[in-house]
Amino acid sequence: MGQKSKLVQVTTWTLVAAMALTGLYVGFAAGPDPRAKAAAEAAAAKAAIEVARAQAAAEAARRAAEAPAAAQPAEAAPIPAPSAEAVRLDRVDVPADLGPADAPVVVGLHGRGDTAAAFSGLAARLGPAGEDGVALAWRGLAAPYAWGPGKAWFLGNRQRPERMDAALALVAGELRALREQGRKVALFGFSQGCMMIAHLVLTQPDAVDAAICVGGSAIGELPTPASGARLPPVLVVAGTADPVVPIAEQRAMITALEARGIVTERIEHPGAHTIPAETLGPMRKWLRDKLTGPAPAR
């Protein structure tokens, strides 16, 4: 990277940091009209960032034009996604052997930046045996892509998810393996994990008996299930004050699932992007009702 490019990069990140600090502390600034001052500062910072980006793009184009054709990097080539046959997702099983061979299993899909180990703390709240003596086993799956301190199920963003199909194929393989053992299987996902579930219940209905989707939305166009498929019920838990996935998007996911034949139930709470403790009891009861009762006709 040339000195000019380094300068542009440093300038850009400096401006981003300055803009972030302005957003954090504008409420405490002195002056007759702090909101007008903050708006002016943000506008100036945004304009400077756009100039820096244009300079960086021009510098990159100049360097590419000057380089020999044989030395051009293949940056446009897509990064190969992991193969569902070659890669197995890391697991956190509770208990370690998943208990009795016929124990129902809840497959946990954590949110972006989380880990399977941390998310699997829910196993102790959702899996204890009921009056019938049946306990729900837990299999927490670790997402395949590094993101911050943890992992992610897809890269990019909700509008343009990247590599999601490969992650869906990996989870589908885990679900089918559990089904082949003769177990009942439920999905439990938060945020990105919930977004994965919205696809899995439609593409893998024969491998899922029920699903709980917390704090998520539909990504892209949801698939159409196979004709005659027995679709699993879905419980959607949504926060009306969620700043990450607005309640309107969560409700839109419910509408999209129902339009494809999914029977949904919902719990709405006044909280934000979280799993409130008061919802764990109802979720555990819902899972037990779906997993420990008679097997539905297929």
Side-chain angles (χ1 to χ4, degrees):
M1 179 183 294
Q3 187 64 32
K4 184 176 180 181
S5 296
K6 290 181 179 178
L7 178 60
V8 169
Q9 186 180 53
V10 171
T11 302
T12 300
W13 284 111
T14 301
L15 287 167
V16 171
M19 192 162 70
L21 289 174
T22 300
L24 285 173
Y25 298 114
V26 65
F28 302 100
D33 193 351
R35 289 182 294 179
K37 179 181 176 182
E41 289 175 349
K46 181 177 180 181
I49 290 172
E50 293 302 323
V51 170
R53 285 176 175 168
Q55 290 174 339
E59 174 65 13
R62 182 190 64 77
R63 291 171 56 194
E66 293 175 354
Q72 294 294 327
E75 294 180 353
I79 301 173
S83 165
E85 291 73 25
V87 180
R88 192 193 78 180
L89 298 175
D90 290 336
R91 305 164 175 167
V92 175
D93 289 348
V94 182
D97 60 356
L98 294 182
D102 59 349
V105 178
V106 180
V107 175
L109 306 182
H110 61 75
R112 184 176 68 171
D114 200 357
T115 65
F119 193 60
S120 294
L122 289 169
R125 304 292 297 274
L126 297 174
E131 295 179 357
D132 56 5
V134 177
L136 305 182
W138 170 278
R139 169 161 288 175
L141 297 179
Y145 310 122
W147 197 92
K151 297 294 189 69
W153 292 104
F154 57 85
L155 304 177
N157 53 46
R158 298 204 297 274
Q159 290 69 42
R160 298 185 64 182
E162 301 172 10
R163 303 195 195 179
M164 186 176 182
D165 287 347
L168 286 168
L170 291 171
V171 177
E174 294 282 342
L175 298 175
R176 288 193 294 269
L178 289 169
R179 179 65 87 205
E180 289 170 1
Q181 297 175 17
R183 296 179 184 269
K184 289 186 178 180
V185 179
L187 283 163
F188 185 101
F190 174 69
S191 194
Q192 267 200 2
C194 171
M195 297 169 193
M196 293 278 287
I197 286 174
H199 285 257
L200 290 164
V201 292
L202 294 168
T203 60
Q204 308 298 321
D206 290 340
V208 181
D209 293 288
I212 294 183
C213 206
V214 185
S217 63
I219 297 296
E221 182 67 20
L222 292 181
T224 299
S227 177
R230 184 205 63 83
L231 301 173
V234 176
L235 173 63
V236 177
V237 180
T240 57
D242 192 330
V244 179
V245 184
I247 186 63
E249 293 185 20
Q250 300 183 63
R251 291 170 178 167
M253 177 185 66
I254 293 174
T255 299
L257 289 173
E258 290 179 341
R260 288 159 176 78
I262 294 284
V263 175
T264 69
E265 299 177 52
R266 76 176 77 179
I267 297 174
E268 290 192 356
H269 60 84
H273 197 61
T274 185
I275 304 177
E278 62 269 21
T279 65
L280 291 173
M283 287 192 289
R284 176 174 178 268
K285 181 180 185 304
W286 190 87
L287 282 171
R288 289 193 57 81
D289 288 346
K290 304 304 179 186
L291 296 179
T292 62
R298 291 186 177 275

